[in-house]
Amino acid sequence: KKFEVNGEKKLYFSELFLECHAPMSQKTKLDIVTKAVEQVNKKYYGDEDTRRKMEVKQAIYDELEEKGSLEVEAVKEKVFKDSPQMQADLEEKLEKYNMEKEVVRPKSEATIKKFQKQHLTTDTGIEITIPMEEYNTKDNVEIIEEPGGGSTITNPDGTISVLIKNIGHLSTR
């Protein structure tokens, strides 16, 4: 059980008294890797690039789906393939946890489940949840881009357009 020691919650008996440390859970390792990837992505692309965030989540999902595990090296290559500097930044962040060469194998289905959907929320409060299978099928969901540009900003006022196509039935909850 964690107790507050000097303003910080710690496992008093195991860490301070016995001076031993338990290994990190697979879920914790996965959280560390995804947070590090998000931080590096945010540093270079900012917080507003929705398409880039979705691509990152897609790459992590693909890795988990294909192999059932997450190889940090493979994720680094997939997500930041065009930038050795971004790869180096990610490696530097993961070195703190000695995880730069780690293979994460989540055991729980619930741990993997959060990567099975893209969750979008607009500034007006509209929430869109897109299953990854549908996100990959460009016939059903499209984030409209400027012609010739990689930017998701399409409208003159700086707003983004999302198009949902081929809906056979619409229901409410």
Side-chain angles (χ1 to χ4, degrees):
K1 186 174 178 181
K2 288 187 176 186
F3 293 96
E4 194 166 318
V5 178
N6 296 330
E8 187 179 331
K9 290 198 174 216
K10 290 188 175 199
L11 297 168
Y12 177 78
F13 186 71
S14 62
E15 288 181 4
L16 298 178
F17 185 72
L18 295 177
E19 296 180 0
C20 64
H21 301 280
M24 279 190 272
S25 71
Q26 295 298 316
K27 181 185 183 312
T28 303
K29 289 179 181 181
L30 182 62
D31 289 345
I32 288 169
V33 171
T34 54
K35 277 199 169 99
V37 168
E38 287 170 9
Q39 287 171 351
V40 171
N41 195 50
K42 185 176 180 180
K43 177 181 175 184
Y44 287 91
Y45 290 96
D47 211 17
E48 298 299 315
D49 197 340
T50 305
R51 177 173 292 284
R52 181 69 187 150
K53 286 180 184 177
M54 292 172 77
E55 287 171 359
V56 166
K57 192 169 183 179
Q58 176 71 42
I60 292 171
Y61 170 76
D62 288 345
E63 190 72 17
L64 284 169
E65 193 68 19
E66 289 169 16
K67 299 178 183 171
S69 63
L70 191 72
E71 291 180 36
V72 173
E73 283 288 316
V75 168
K76 183 174 73 174
E77 307 267 324
K78 267 186 184 176
V79 174
F80 304 124
K81 61 181 170 253
D82 300 331
S83 174
Q85 181 60 44
M86 290 171 78
Q87 290 181 11
D89 282 4
L90 178 62
E91 198 165 312
E92 184 182 311
K93 286 189 179 300
L94 293 174
E95 277 177 1
K96 294 176 191 171
Y97 301 98
N98 200 23
M99 288 183 53
E100 62 275 7
K101 304 279 187 218
E102 190 73 39
V103 176
V104 182
R105 291 181 175 81
K107 293 177 177 88
S108 170
E109 187 64 35
T111 304
I112 300 171
K113 206 171 195 171
K114 68 180 177 182
F115 293 99
Q116 293 176 338
K117 294 182 180 177
Q118 294 279 6
H119 298 277
L120 305 174
T121 306
T122 68
D123 56 347
T124 57
I126 298 170
E127 295 180 15
I128 304 169
T129 303
I130 307 167
M132 280 297 191
E133 295 81 35
E134 297 302 319
Y135 175 71
N136 291 332
T137 309
K138 301 301 178 201
D139 296 336
N140 297 338
V141 178
E142 183 181 350
I143 296 178
I144 303 168
E145 296 184 52
E146 274 181 5
S151 172
T152 54
I153 299 173
T154 59
N155 304 327
D157 61 354
T159 57
I160 300 169
S161 296
V162 177
L163 180 62
I164 302 172
K165 308 181 276 187
N166 301 327
I167 299 172
H169 176 73
L170 192 62
S171 61
T172 61
R173 283 196 257 173

